[in-house]
Amino acid sequence: LCIITEYRGGKLYLSNFARKYADKMKVGDELVSINGMDAVTFLKENYVPYISGSRMENRIAEAASFSCRNALYPPKTRFDCEFKGTKKYKMTLYTGLHTWDSTWNWVSNDYWLPYYNVCLIDTIRGIGYLHLINASEETEQFFEQYAQQLETCRQVVLDLTHDIGGNAAKNAKICSFFSLKDSLDDLVYDYKVNKSWYRSYGIFCCNDTLKGDADNDIFCNMKNGTYFEMKERKRHANNAYPTHYKGKVYVLMGRQSASATEGMIETLRQNSRASIYGKMSAGATGNPLFITLPYSSLTVLINTLRSFDSKGIETSQGLVPDIEMDFTDCYKSSDANVVFENIRQKLGIN
């Protein structure tokens, strides 16, 4: 669909749309109804049941973006929409062949930040800004490129708001750098689903697609049925990175902060000089089980593990920030320096 909305305060608001509608639509207009039904209720009844997630708020927000899996919005699906800006107006919209089509010529190009690693240094104030998007080799290398510059800063904003996770091992150096403790604790897990599907998948992978030691570690445990046993909490020496940042750390997180990133946030919480700001995380710490439904071809993702923090508190539904804040408006610029400045002012950093 050629619009993108944000779910805030129980309502849907336009955040982007095709430029050809600029004569009628404005960013911030409310999407009131779809096909004669309250817009949020419409999504809850028709789309949210097919989106997996730990929390209803995240599932509604995913549906509201209108950029979900194509199966949710088949081509040429008709939406009779009512909007409310300075006055109410109606428009009929149709889905295209793809849910995110660059040919629509979006009216706003302010959505670049979620897709890039960014590092900025305010040398005058001595503040660093590090925005990361995933746990990967590329992100690890990006961090190492700027680590020495960050070390010179009095304060650093570590922005994990759009960090969807990935390979937890690639977060080790970042966790080590931003942690002052001599040793660090992992999250601990317990399984909550039947092992049979994963065991059969492990057998398939072991016999057919293993590519290296990392695959062996994962899939052989699946094959042998030990992958979901309760894991003992592990404590690691904090030596993944040779130096440790000694300044104040502001860690930002949100509903897209997921999986390995949630583990990193919990590790960073153990650093007394780090504070966590933002909204509750995705609640995707459990290794997801992917099941394709037979008739619709929709893929359902189910968290298979329960996770617990260093105090034994369950975090499977998401991590709670130390201080709840909404940074949504801070990202509404295509200039990374403006985003950095917006966040600095929001946090009150001098």
Side-chain angles (χ1 to χ4, degrees), residues 87-158:
K87 61 181 180 179
K88 288 187 176 182
Y89 57 94
K90 296 181 179 180
M91 296 189 68
T92 298
L93 306 174
Y94 295 87
T95 55
L97 295 178
H98 303 285
T99 53
W100 189 276
D101 187 347
S102 60
T103 63
W104 279 329
N105 190 15
W106 297 100
V107 71
S108 172
N109 293 314
D110 294 346
Y111 288 83
W112 61 273
L113 191 60
Y115 308 107
Y116 295 97
N117 291 315
V118 175
C119 185
L120 299 170
I121 307 293
D122 183 341
T123 56
I124 297 176
R125 293 187 176 92
I127 304 170
Y129 176 69
L130 182 64
H131 176 273
L132 303 178
I133 58 171
N134 58 29
S136 64
E137 185 172 354
E138 291 77 12
T139 295
E140 181 185 58
Q141 291 173 353
F142 181 84
F143 157 73
E144 290 183 290
Q145 180 182 349
Y146 291 98
Q148 287 187 337
Q149 295 181 50
L150 291 169
E151 202 166 3
T152 65
C153 299
R154 294 184 302 107
Q155 304 173 90
V156 169
V157 177
L158 176 58

Side-chain angles (χ1 to χ4, degrees), residues 252-268:
L252 307 190
M253 67 181 228
R255 68 177 184 85
Q256 290 178 275
S257 307
S259 193
T261 302
E262 291 175 290
M264 179 162 69
I265 291 169
E266 182 54 38
T267 299
L268 294 172

Side-chain angles (χ1 to χ4, degrees), residues 60 86 115 133 180 193 202 238 256 263 277 304 316 320 336-337:
I60 296 173
T86 53
Y115 308 107
I133 58 171
L180 290 173
V193 297
N238 185 13
Q256 290 178 275
Y277 297 80
T304 59
S316 306
V320 178
N337 290 283

Side-chain angles (χ1 to χ4, degrees), residues 328-342:
T328 304
D329 290 340
C330 294
Y331 300 105
K332 292 184 176 179
S333 173
S334 57
D335 187 333
N337 290 283
V338 173
V339 172
F340 180 18
E341 177 61 15
N342 290 343

Side-chain angles (χ1 to χ4, degrees), residues 2 98 102 117 122 152 184 190 197 228 243 248 283 311 346:
C2 52
H98 303 285
S102 60
N117 291 315
D122 183 341
T152 65
L184 301 170
D190 188 11
W197 186 92
F228 298 109
T243 59
K248 170 70 176 176
K311 297 179 181 178
K346 183 88 172 180

